[in-house]
Amino acid sequence: MTFFGYTIGEWAQAVSIIVVGVSAGSWLFKKIALDPLRSDIQTLSDTINRQLKLHERSLADLSQHLKTHDNELGSHSVRITRLEDHVGIKGEDNHED
């Protein structure tokens, strides 16, 4: 039995050769392009995660410093108000022009 002048055996051979060629091409593409790309993406992801953790630590430290400075500022404000009360200064309301 023939189809377009080729027997079923010849068609099976042709299809087999095409399938093997596509499989080999796919495997080569994976090894040459995709595997190195995946490796680079994983390395980049690890680097980004490390940097993110460093930035989170820096932000936490900065936040702690900001809280400390806010507390000091509040303390200074209270002390200045007490000093103004002690010497009889009413703050910015009694400036002489």
Side-chain angles (χ1 to χ4, degrees), residues 22-32 35:
V22 169
S23 295
S26 174
W27 180 82
L28 279 174
F29 180 75
K30 179 182 178 292
K31 288 296 178 190
I32 292 171
D35 286 350

Side-chain angles (χ1 to χ4, degrees), residues 42-65:
Q42 185 61 46
T43 301
L44 180 61
S45 177
D46 292 343
T47 301
I48 289 171
N49 285 334
R50 279 194 307 273
Q51 287 297 320
L52 182 59
K53 287 177 184 175
L54 287 173
H55 287 299
E56 286 173 348
R57 273 191 236 128
S58 294
L59 282 174
D61 290 345
L62 185 60
S63 178
Q64 184 58 45
H65 287 299

Side-chain angles (χ1 to χ4, degrees), residues 62-74:
L62 185 60
S63 178
Q64 184 58 45
H65 287 299
L66 183 61
K67 287 177 186 176
T68 301
H69 287 295
D70 281 347
N71 291 338
E72 288 178 11
L73 182 61

